[in-house]
Amino acid sequence: MALLHIYRRQKCVCVCSGYLDGLLCAPVSRMLGYCNSVGDKIYVDFKDNIPCVRLLNATHQIGCQSSLSGDVGVLHLLESEENLDWVLSSGPDPPYMVMLESTLFTRSVMMKLKSSSNRVAGVVVVAPNTNPSAGFSPHASCPNENSGVYTEKYSPSLAHCNATVWNPLGNNLSYEEFDFPIFSLKDDNDTQAMRQCYMDHNRPVNGSKPRYPLCAMQLFSHMSAVTDTATCMRRNSIAMSLNPEFVCDPLGDVNIWALSKPLNVTEKGHKPGESVIIAAARLDSRSFFFDIAPGAESTASGLVTLLAVAHALRNATQEAQLNTTIMYTFFHGETFDYIGSSRMVFDMERNQSIIDLDNVHSVLEVGQVGLHGDTKLWLHSDPVSRRNSSIDEEVCVFFLLNFSVEEPGSSQALPPSSFQRFLRARPIPGVVIENHQSTFTNRYYQSMYDNSDYLNVSYPPGLTPEEQLDFVTDAAKVLLLTCCLQLCSPPNGTEREGFCVRSTCRTTKAVSPAFELEEYTSSNYSTWTESRWKSIKGRIFLVASHDLEMLTLGVGVGVLLTSLLLTFFISSKADILFNSGREPTNATY
């Protein structure tokens, strides 16, 4: 039961939840007819909350969710990992809503909370202002290990990252399932109010039990889909109402591509006499939390580099009559078992693309190429397909190009890359440009820390917001476009005029072939789906003790029963109690 404190202060009436003394003060005029609902006076809602959501594939579900009505717990600020004992065992008021500073958002802490989910109602992680120096990656240590080219049939010694663990900092946290909600909040007024609420009401003093009222939190992030992709797609197909409610959606978007010279795009399939080099990069990234995926090094570095290459080669490819067409391709959904590249290969194999695999001369992919200090660039290739002499000769041509790159060992496997999906279809010459020889140099792979700060994208002091938009940093001069790392959002109060261009860019579906084939348990194609939800929100309030709630309930029930008995008694004795002596009917005045 929430406790509400209402008191007067000078020219206003204040309605607050204890620790927010006066912060929700409203003019008397509002209280007299324009006030908010009682709920608005009791609860303080979060403004910017980013949840962990549920994802599903052919075999299981991952992510987080709350109950349908939201999960409620007493707020506890975790100040150190040693302090976990209060949440896991000794705290007297479970379940707890655990508030974590970003330094404590580790696999060790999260798995301990998961193992005691009966005492944990949810978790809130305060978004950091700086990146952890030790690195952090909630992704897998072997990204996309079951959807690449290396399998038990194709070079088993290289399968499952047996030769190279590409992401050694990967702790696999993004692929765990939590049966309680987990939110990320900015370190702003909301989190400061939460800390103050905890300090005022919940913090134990010398190990003693906090006294009521206690500060509590409620998180809403109920997910509609359960079990796996086959289950949720079956539920989608049996929606019978006029307004059917789907429970999940296949992950995907669109691939974007453009050609260095015109081709007939209305006719699908093989183009006789055409030789095409696919120059590729990826468009997507992810992190533990929904929609916080800056991907500065993992995605933007390769994306912007390929855009810069296309821009630089534009005039050269138009003026010179090249025998080969360059197809600049940007794949979407590569984080989730190569959705975009597998769809393009699928369409090429079925003559649903403007070219087929016979037209593909080679693949040049730009991966993680963010430069740090003396970082070098490396050209990775597939050692298995290069056993074919003709393919090896084509690959060697890339090393003769006039730019400074090095080649890893001859037995080094390809890193996780879209090119692997082409190799699954057939042996094709190709290379992948990366900034690492073996394991990733990216210490924040697929995390919220893989941001512009990691690539040292910053501005000199004293620049106006408009000047910041036009300023190109040293890092950007080498590789990156600052705008992409800032999501192309102008600073506050700054507006830029848009303009329209005529472009030869085109888009095609980047949705896994598994959903077109309705093979929801496929082991060949990505089967990832995302659950739908109705409400994502969080709020804090004060709660009374359970004993007081029971006392209040008991008093309420007693008053109700007393009222019923009194009403029955009065009703049964109404003729006596309310008889005032009737006058004769023949009385005259």
Side-chain angles (χ1 to χ4, degrees):
M1 178 181 295
L3 295 183
L4 187 65
H5 305 292
I6 304 179
Y7 55 92
R8 297 186 177 275
R9 177 179 291 172
Q10 295 181 355
K11 295 184 179 179
C12 61
V13 175
C14 294
V15 183
C16 20
S17 299
Y19 69 100
L20 292 177
D21 187 32
L23 291 182
L24 299 180
C25 190
V28 175
S29 58
R30 292 183 58 199
M31 299 300 294
L32 294 178
Y34 303 97
C35 59
N36 295 328
S37 68
V38 173
D40 292 334
K41 310 304 181 187
I42 298 174
Y43 301 105
V44 178
D45 294 327
F46 306 152
K47 295 178 182 177
D48 299 308
N49 46 77
I50 307 297
C52 156
V53 301
R54 173 170 288 170
L55 302 176
L56 310 95
N57 65 9
T59 59
H60 63 292
Q61 62 188 25
I62 62 173
C64 323
Q65 79 148 1
S66 74
S67 61
L68 184 61
S69 58
D71 289 345
V72 180
V74 173
L75 179 63
H76 182 77
L77 177 61
L78 191 64
E79 298 173 298
S80 67
E81 188 166 352
E82 292 73 22
N83 187 234
L84 265 175
D85 182 65
W86 183 269
V87 175
L88 303 181
S89 59
S90 63
D93 303 300
Y96 288 98
M97 281 286 179
V98 183
M99 184 177 178
L100 295 176
E101 299 297 340
S102 58
T103 54
L104 291 173
F105 182 56
T106 64
R107 179 175 178 85
S108 172
V109 170
M110 294 305 298
M111 296 309 291
K112 289 177 181 177
L113 294 175
K114 177 181 177 178
S115 65
S116 299
S117 58
N118 61 319
R119 290 181 59 89
V120 178
V123 175
V124 169
V125 180
V126 180
N129 295 319
T130 58
N131 292 351
S133 58
F136 177 81
S137 173
H139 205 64
S141 60
C142 185
N144 289 351
E145 66 172 302
N146 297 314
S147 52
V149 65
Y150 302 114
T151 62
E152 302 304 325
K153 297 180 180 179
Y154 188 95
S155 188
S157 63
L158 300 178
H160 308 294
C161 296
N162 287 334
T164 305
V165 178
W166 295 106
N167 184 31
L169 290 176
N171 59 34
N172 217 51
L173 194 60
S174 290
Y175 293 91
E176 294 287 345
E177 180 188 2
F178 297 89
D179 58 2
F180 49 77
I182 304 177
F183 280 40
S184 174
L185 292 179
K186 293 181 179 179
D187 192 1
D188 56 12
N189 292 338
D190 285 343
T191 53
Q192 292 301 321
M194 290 166 54
R195 290 188 182 99
Q196 190 61 48
C197 184
Y198 169 79
M199 298 298 289
D200 290 347
H201 297 277
N202 295 12
R203 187 176 188 181
V205 179
N206 298 324
S208 62
K209 178 181 178 180
R211 298 179 62 183
Y212 284 93
L214 297 177
C215 185
M217 180 186 297
Q218 185 173 26
L219 298 179
F220 296 84
S221 62
H222 179 69
M223 300 289 139
S224 301
V226 294
T227 309
D228 53 37
T229 288
T231 302
C232 79
M233 294 301 292
R234 183 174 67 250
R235 291 177 62 190
N236 282 352
S237 66
I238 61 176
M240 303 296 291
S241 65
L242 295 177
N243 297 308
E245 291 190 6
F246 296 108
V247 296
C248 68
D249 299 287
L251 290 183
D253 205 293
V254 294
N255 294 326
I256 303 173
W257 54 270
L259 300 167
S260 61
K261 67 178 183 180
L263 288 180
N264 184 351
V265 298
T266 59
E267 294 184 4
K268 307 294 184 181
H270 184 68
K271 296 291 189 297
E274 287 292 342
S275 179
V276 178
I277 297 176
I278 295 179
R282 63 167 55 186
L283 286 171
D284 63 294
S285 62
R286 72 168 299 200
S287 77
F288 184 86
F289 296 102
F290 175 77
D291 218 22
I292 306 181
E297 181 166 326
S298 63
T299 301
S301 62
L303 164 65
V304 178
T305 298
L306 186 55
L307 288 173
V309 169
H311 179 73
L313 294 179
R314 177 179 178 273
N315 293 333
T317 54
Q318 288 186 348
E319 294 172 1
Q321 297 298 319
L322 301 180
N323 296 325
T324 303
T325 301
I326 302 176
M327 184 176 184
Y328 301 103
T329 310
F330 302 91
F331 293 118
H332 216 298
E334 298 302 274
T335 303
F336 296 96
D337 295 332
Y338 306 120
I339 293 174
S341 54
S342 63
R343 180 54 186 255
M344 178 167 282
V345 172
F346 176 82
D347 289 341
M348 288 181 177
E349 290 176 326
R350 287 158 178 76
N351 293 322
Q352 295 299 312
S353 178
I354 63 163
I355 59 172
D356 65 6
L357 289 173
D358 291 331
N359 293 124
V360 178
H361 172 273
S362 56
V363 176
L364 170 63
E365 182 173 350
V366 186
Q368 301 182 93
V369 290
L371 300 180
H372 305 274
D374 58 352
T375 304
K376 301 176 181 179
L377 291 180
W378 300 81
L379 277 185
H380 294 261
S381 57
D382 173 39
V384 180
S385 60
R386 289 186 66 177
R387 295 170 187 168
N388 182 307
S389 58
S390 61
I391 289 181
D392 185 61
E393 290 176 4
E394 294 290 347
V395 172
C396 287
V397 172
F398 287 104
F399 295 95
L400 300 177
L401 298 177
N402 188 25
F403 59 96
S404 179
V405 293
E406 298 190 28
E407 183 180 9
S410 59
S411 61
Q412 174 73 58
L414 269 176
S417 53
S418 306
F419 178 38
Q420 293 201 26
R421 292 303 300 194
F422 288 84
L423 288 174
R424 280 184 70 135
R426 64 170 63 178
I428 294 176
V431 294
V432 179
I433 305 176
E434 300 276 3
N435 63 4
H436 55 88
Q437 180 180 6
S438 55
T439 59
F440 294 165
T441 60
N442 187 352
R443 293 180 291 117
Y444 307 109
Y445 184 73
Q446 303 294 17
S447 79
M448 57 185 172
Y449 304 111
D450 187 9
N451 50 33
S452 58
D453 292 339
Y454 180 45
L455 295 181
N456 296 320
V457 178
S458 58
Y459 304 103
L463 292 184
T464 65
E466 185 64 29
E467 289 171 338
Q468 288 181 0
L469 284 176
D470 295 326
F471 181 79
V472 181
T473 66
D474 291 337
K477 291 175 184 176
V478 177
L479 192 62
L480 301 175
L481 295 181
T482 306
C483 180
C484 284
L485 298 184
Q486 303 297 337
L487 302 179
C488 294
S489 300
N492 293 336
T494 303
E495 294 184 2
R496 308 200 92 182
E497 292 186 4
F499 56 92
C500 187
V501 297
R502 177 174 291 179
S503 171
T504 57
C505 289
R506 295 176 180 272
T507 62
T508 53
K509 280 185 178 181
V511 177
S512 172
F515 297 97
E516 184 164 319
L517 299 172
E518 297 185 358
E519 296 178 358
Y520 306 132
T521 59
S522 171
S523 59
N524 189 37
Y525 297 112
S526 171
T527 56
W528 285 105
T529 54
E530 181 180 79
S531 175
R532 290 194 178 187
W533 59 83
K534 291 184 177 180
S535 177
I536 298 292
K537 64 179 181 179
R539 58 192 186 182
I540 53 177
F541 53 96
L542 295 181
V543 292
S545 68
H546 182 70
D547 293 340
L548 179 58
E549 290 177 339
M550 291 298 99
L551 176 61
T552 304
L553 177 62
V555 171
V557 171
V559 170
L560 175 63
L561 294 177
T562 302
S563 300
L564 291 175
L565 290 174
L566 185 60
T567 302
F568 175 77
F569 174 77
I570 293 174
S571 176
S572 63
K573 303 297 183 180
D575 290 341
I576 299 174
L577 296 175
F578 302 107
N579 185 6
S580 57
R582 295 182 179 178
E583 297 179 348
T585 57
N586 59 353
T588 58
Y589 296 91

